[in-house]
Amino acid sequence: QASGSSPTLKRVCLESLRLTAHSIGAVRTAQRNLTISVSTPRPKTFQIPKGSSVGFAHIAASLDPNSWGDDSSAFDVEHRHSELYQDDYKFTVFSHGVHKCPGERLAVVMLQITIAALLVKYNVCLPETIPSLSFERATLAQRDGPVTVLIERKVEEKEQ
């Protein structure tokens, strides 16, 4: 493309961010008594008293099958609707509203540059099986076990 960007690389980066979004993001204090109703197959209502702390789990929106499909926990750059990454309430990696990260665009570009630079100079090999994601830690998705990645510098061809 004329801009030098790669839509595939960008989608890979966005999908990676979506699946590894930090678990707990915004923590706010209720300024008044609140009643929140959740529309699910079995609707629920929650009472939140004034002064209570409320935490927003970014990963919950990222794994919501109502938005991302039944395979919402699978890495898939081919079948995801790209407009979902533009919806601040479906793709909440950088938060939303007045608390949205002002460096979102820069962070995505820097991630693309880093991945592109890595892939130009190195061969990267993942193991055949990768442990599933674990959300045991409160702030970050991680793997259930180690992932040994083989990174080898590419052999440069000598000029003749």
Side-chain angles (χ1 to χ4, degrees), residues 78-129:
E78 299 296 325
H79 300 102
R80 302 274 181 234
H81 299 288
S82 60
E83 68 273 4
L84 291 174
Y85 298 109
Q86 306 306 313
D87 185 324
D88 289 347
Y89 293 94
K90 291 181 175 42
F91 183 72
T92 62
V93 172
F94 295 98
S95 199
H96 61 282
V98 297
H99 299 286
K100 185 168 180 155
C101 174
E104 174 185 9
R105 289 184 181 172
L106 179 60
V108 171
V109 169
M110 293 304 298
L111 181 56
Q112 290 176 83
I113 290 169
T114 302
I115 297 300
L118 177 70
L119 295 176
V120 165
K121 296 221 176 233
Y122 297 91
N123 291 316
V124 179
C125 298
L126 296 173
E128 285 187 33
T129 57

Side-chain angles (χ1 to χ4, degrees), residues 17-125:
L17 289 168
R18 181 183 73 82
L19 288 173
T20 58
H22 47 289
S23 299
I24 296 181
V27 177
R28 303 287 181 260
T29 302
Q31 299 300 305
R32 58 184 168 84
N33 292 329
L34 297 169
T35 300
I36 297 176
S37 298
V38 180
S39 298
T40 61
R42 294 174 50 195
K44 296 178 183 177
T45 301
F46 299 93
Q47 301 295 326
I48 301 172
K50 179 181 178 177
S52 296
S53 294
V54 179
F56 178 78
H58 290 282
I59 196 68
S62 294
L63 297 177
D64 182 2
N66 294 317
S67 299
W68 299 96
D70 290 336
D71 62 344
S72 61
S73 63
F75 184 88
D76 185 354
V77 295
E78 299 296 325
H79 300 102
R80 302 274 181 234
H81 299 288
S82 60
E83 68 273 4
L84 291 174
Y85 298 109
Q86 306 306 313
D87 185 324
D88 289 347
Y89 293 94
K90 291 181 175 42
F91 183 72
T92 62
V93 172
F94 295 98
S95 199
H96 61 282
V98 297
H99 299 286
K100 185 168 180 155
C101 174
E104 174 185 9
R105 289 184 181 172
L106 179 60
V108 171
V109 169
M110 293 304 298
L111 181 56
Q112 290 176 83
I113 290 169
T114 302
I115 297 300
L118 177 70
L119 295 176
V120 165
K121 296 221 176 233
Y122 297 91
N123 291 316
V124 179
C125 298

